[in-house]
Amino acid sequence: MMFDAEKIRKDFPILDVHVNGKRLVYLDNAATTQKPKRVIDALVKYYSEENSNVHRGVHFLSDKATTLYENSRKTIAEFINAGKPEELIFVRGTTEAINLVASSYGEVSVGTGDEVIVSHLEHHSNIVPWQILCERKGASLKVIPVNDSGELDIEAYRKLLSSRTKIVAVNQISNSLGTVNPVREIIRQAHDAGAVVLIDGAQAVQHSNVDVRELDADFYAFSGHKMYGPTGIGILYGKEKLLDSMPPYQGGGDMIKNVSFEKTTYNELPYKFEAGTPDISGAIVLSEAVKYIKEIGIENIAGHERELLEYGTSKLSEIDGFRLVGNAKEKASVISFLLDGIHPYDTGAILDKTGIAVRTGLHCTEPLMKRFGIPGTVRASIAMYNTKEEIDALVNGVIKAKKMLS
Amino acid sequence: MKNITEIENEIIEEFSFFDNWEEKYEYIIDFGKNLKPMDAAYKTDENKVAGCVSQVWLHSDYRDGRVTFEADSDAIITKGLVGLLVKVLSGQKPADVANAELAFIDKIGMKEHLSPTRSNGLVNMIKHMKRASAAYASISN
């Protein structure tokens, strides 16, 4: 199938919106993606025809909602090639997934004097939960450094690993620079040292083929809303053996087998980690987004996005004073930049007036921005529905911003 | 000295001559560039108003029943807006500052910079200005 971005755009109603009198150019996809009509329709259909609580009633609708909910788990499990659907826990998003692992797996695996390794490229959500864990356990947090291109220093990582290392937590693709990290190699080395690995895949599942078994990831986390699905739903994948060994994260309904005041026994996977009524509609509708991605083809999406990334990077680089932040050899979908002598807030404000949505600031990666000694960046992030014309609009917007602000 | 509303109205009138957003922004940018630089001694951590994207420094003083402000920002558009706020509020009676509605920001088409999502320090700066003024007002009572 030929990839046709113009045809894909028709699937996304919001792309017709006008901002400040101009057709919206949405380049803030690393923050959240827009939703195709079939995802929106599935949400409406759920509440119009299917809504009921799951795993509870013996009535028709409850059965239907439960079946859809569990089918969705299967669809998503296949999408990332998990061994079993039970290895997928529905959570609110990547942040909750990481907190779950830090709190539950961290509780049984990390002790005084142990170490947790993260990287300098991490989002705050893959730093702070580990800091909280380390503080609670008297463990220490180690950081894999980045070079000036925004790539992880794998040699330094090797040296950080030791028998004290219990957990390694890194992202597959950096949200602020777009660096694609060599996670398979990172996982292999961690396993050699006897540590388990959590991969933050929030910026990876929508841009590249993810196979958790091929990666041999112990935990893999991602969010629905960054992959054309609804907000409030995400996935924690964990190897069955690990999930089985972990204590519950939250207590409540659905996560128990029997409750008495003397002794409560817990439900099996995945329900042990799904206390309370879950985001049923979100979970069901997320599989609609996955089906949509599969129909378009993740390789086609990746190819199109790569083309735009290269085109945008080369066009923007022609602008005098343009400074690309992060030029890793392996990059995906993100152009993070600064204009010489101009604050990123100002550039973003002018781009907004021209109808272009980008993100400006620290991108929840304050340590990384400090590493580069910059007050943040302007970040344009690409999705499957972006076009060359939109990249041209961005380039013209940046030229205009530079002219107005210099 | 003119009161807050009078100064606001002057600014609104000035902006009414502009035909498009570009002219408005160019004015704000120029205003920011030409603003008297803040005394380096005032650029302390204590005077820093936190913002995720751009930062603002604010120094306030109280003398003879009037509150004065000096402010600065690392982003030029923010600095221009900060300058306008100082122009409107500095030298006024603390009670008037504490109660000012500052409707001129909306009327000159700059309301979006006050959105909490902009995280540019401007919203926090106004809060700080008002809080300081309310404190001065309670002293003077």
Side-chain angles (χ1 to χ4, degrees):
Chain A
M1 189 195 80
M2 260 292 287
F3 189 90
D4 184 352
E6 281 303 332
K7 187 162 167 278
I8 284 169
R9 291 182 74 79
K10 296 201 173 76
D11 295 337
F12 291 81
I14 208 170
L15 297 178
D16 287 331
V17 163
H18 282 63
V19 175
N20 294 320
K22 291 174 192 71
R23 199 172 155 198
L24 167 70
V25 174
Y26 187 77
L27 289 167
D28 193 17
N29 295 289
T32 197
T33 53
Q34 300 303 343
K35 322 303 172 196
K37 189 161 183 300
R38 64 188 275 182
V39 164
I40 301 165
D41 288 347
L43 199 58
V44 173
K45 183 166 187 266
Y46 173 76
Y47 283 116
S48 309
E49 300 169 24
E50 299 155 353
N51 175 54
S52 190
N53 211 331
V54 289
H55 310 135
R56 306 282 205 285
V58 288
H59 54 83
F60 173 80
L61 272 185
S62 178
D63 275 348
K64 187 165 182 179
T66 304
T67 305
L68 289 167
Y69 183 76
E70 292 307 329
N71 282 348
S72 177
R73 199 191 306 270
K74 270 184 219 149
T75 303
I76 302 163
E78 281 164 22
F79 181 63
I80 59 166
N81 196 31
K84 298 175 176 181
E86 293 77 28
E87 293 180 314
L88 269 69
I89 316 290
F90 282 120
V91 290
R92 276 190 293 148
T94 309
T95 298
E96 187 175 52
I98 297 170
N99 275 282
L100 191 162
V101 175
S103 170
S104 168
Y105 182 74
E107 180 60 35
V108 290
S109 67
V110 175
T112 312
D114 284 341
E115 291 172 0
V116 175
I117 296 178
V118 297
S119 90
H120 216 133
L121 277 178
E122 298 315 307
H123 189 282
H124 295 160
S125 62
N126 202 23
I127 299 172
V128 183
W130 306 113
Q131 280 179 323
I132 293 170
L133 169 68
C134 287
E135 206 160 293
R136 197 172 79 224
K137 291 288 188 169
S140 49
L141 192 70
K142 301 282 169 187
V143 183
I144 310 168
V146 287
N147 64 21
D148 291 340
S149 302
E151 294 163 322
L152 293 184
D153 181 343
I154 295 300
E155 192 48 44
Y157 166 59
R158 215 189 312 268
K159 288 179 187 148
L160 286 178
L161 284 165
S162 75
S163 59
R164 288 185 300 276
T165 312
K166 298 302 169 202
I167 301 170
V168 175
V170 292
N171 65 63
Q172 188 165 0
I173 297 179
S174 149
N175 74 304
S176 38
L177 305 184
T179 309
V180 179
N181 293 313
V183 286
R184 196 185 302 133
E185 178 62 15
I186 288 169
I187 292 168
R188 197 185 58 74
Q189 291 190 24
H191 286 171
D192 285 349
V196 310
V197 182
L198 177 140
I199 300 295
D200 166 359
Q203 301 293 343
V205 280
Q206 68 281 49
H207 299 301
S208 59
N209 190 33
V210 169
D211 182 331
V212 290
R213 278 191 290 178
E214 199 240 344
L215 288 176
D216 201 16
D218 300 296
F219 298 104
Y220 195 98
F222 56 98
S223 300
H225 72 98
K226 293 187 200 283
M227 56 184 301
Y228 312 101
T231 53
I233 191 76
I235 297 289
L236 170 66
Y237 159 83
K239 285 180 180 164
E240 187 179 26
K241 210 174 69 186
L242 288 169
L243 291 173
D244 266 335
S245 73
M246 290 157 55
Y249 175 52
Q250 291 176 330
D254 222 21
M255 56 76 70
I256 43 79
K257 199 174 274 167
N258 295 104
V259 177
S260 74
F261 289 114
E262 291 72 36
K263 171 85 185 156
T264 290
T265 51
Y266 304 124
N267 207 337
E268 57 205 19
L269 292 177
Y271 311 114
K272 183 170 87 177
F273 292 107
E274 292 180 0
T277 297
D279 179 1
I280 305 167
S281 63
I284 291 172
V285 174
L286 180 53
S287 69
E288 206 56 41
V290 165
K291 286 176 198 162
Y292 182 75
I293 292 173
K294 278 168 109 171
E295 273 172 33
I296 308 278
I298 195 82
E299 295 298 340
N300 295 327
I301 294 169
H304 172 69
E305 290 172 349
R306 197 176 314 120
E307 206 177 293
L308 292 184
L309 178 67
E310 282 165 14
Y311 178 71
T313 306
S314 99
K315 279 278 175 189
L316 286 165
S317 300
E318 288 169 14
I319 300 170
D320 195 32
F322 173 85
R323 175 184 165 199
L324 186 66
V325 182
N327 43 6
K329 278 182 223 78
E330 296 290 325
K331 263 185 81 167
S333 120
V334 167
I335 304 175
S336 228
F337 67 92
L338 287 169
L339 293 171
D340 272 351
I342 297 174
H343 196 283
Y345 179 80
D346 294 324
T347 310
I350 300 296
L351 287 176
D352 174 53
K353 294 305 287 183
T354 65
I356 298 167
V358 293
R359 171 96 181 257
T360 55
L362 305 167
H363 317 299
C364 293
T365 54
E366 195 173 343
L368 183 63
M369 296 298 136
K370 277 205 182 118
R371 153 73 178 76
F372 282 97
I374 52 181
T377 69
V378 181
R379 180 189 71 184
S381 52
I382 299 159
M384 64 162 104
Y385 41 66
N386 289 124
T387 62
K388 251 182 166 172
E389 289 71 43
E390 289 182 304
I391 300 294
D392 288 336
L394 170 69
V395 173
N396 290 333
V398 172
I399 291 169
K400 184 176 185 125
K402 185 181 140 83
K403 208 176 127 205
M404 286 182 74
L405 293 161
S406 293
Chain B
M1 137 143 230
K2 290 176 192 134
N3 68 30
I4 291 175
T5 315
E6 283 164 352
I7 305 172
E8 283 189 86
N9 285 339
E10 276 179 14
I11 295 172
I12 294 164
E13 203 195 327
E14 204 156 351
F15 271 73
S16 71
F17 293 111
F18 298 139
D19 293 326
N20 51 40
W21 71 266
E22 282 94 338
E23 288 177 5
K24 290 180 185 175
Y25 272 71
E26 271 157 11
Y27 179 94
I28 298 275
I29 291 162
D30 279 343
F31 197 81
K33 280 182 185 161
N34 294 328
L35 207 62
K36 180 176 142 259
M38 189 181 195
D39 193 330
Y42 291 150
K43 276 199 177 179
T44 59
D45 277 350
E46 210 169 274
N47 282 343
K48 199 152 122 179
V49 181
C52 169
V53 187
S54 64
Q55 305 185 66
V56 171
W57 290 267
L58 173 73
H59 177 73
S60 63
D61 212 347
Y62 180 60
R63 208 170 297 149
D64 305 328
R66 302 275 170 167
V67 57
T68 57
F69 297 106
E70 267 190 74
D72 201 349
S73 171
D74 55 353
I76 196 71
I77 294 173
T78 311
K79 189 172 173 177
L81 292 168
V82 155
L84 285 182
L85 281 163
V86 169
K87 183 176 170 177
V88 170
L89 297 177
S90 192
Q92 301 293 335
K93 289 182 194 139
D96 292 347
V97 174
N99 296 321
E101 283 177 27
L102 303 171
F104 83 100
I105 298 168
D106 188 9
K107 289 191 176 140
I108 63 171
M110 294 292 151
K111 194 183 165 192
E112 60 225 40
H113 295 278
L114 289 183
S115 139
T117 61
R118 287 297 176 116
S119 324
N120 55 8
L122 214 57
V123 175
N124 284 336
M125 187 187 94
I126 294 175
K127 268 189 211 152
H128 279 237
M129 284 173 137
K130 292 194 163 206
R131 203 177 302 144
S133 301
Y136 293 136
S138 68
I139 300 169
S140 61
N141 286 338

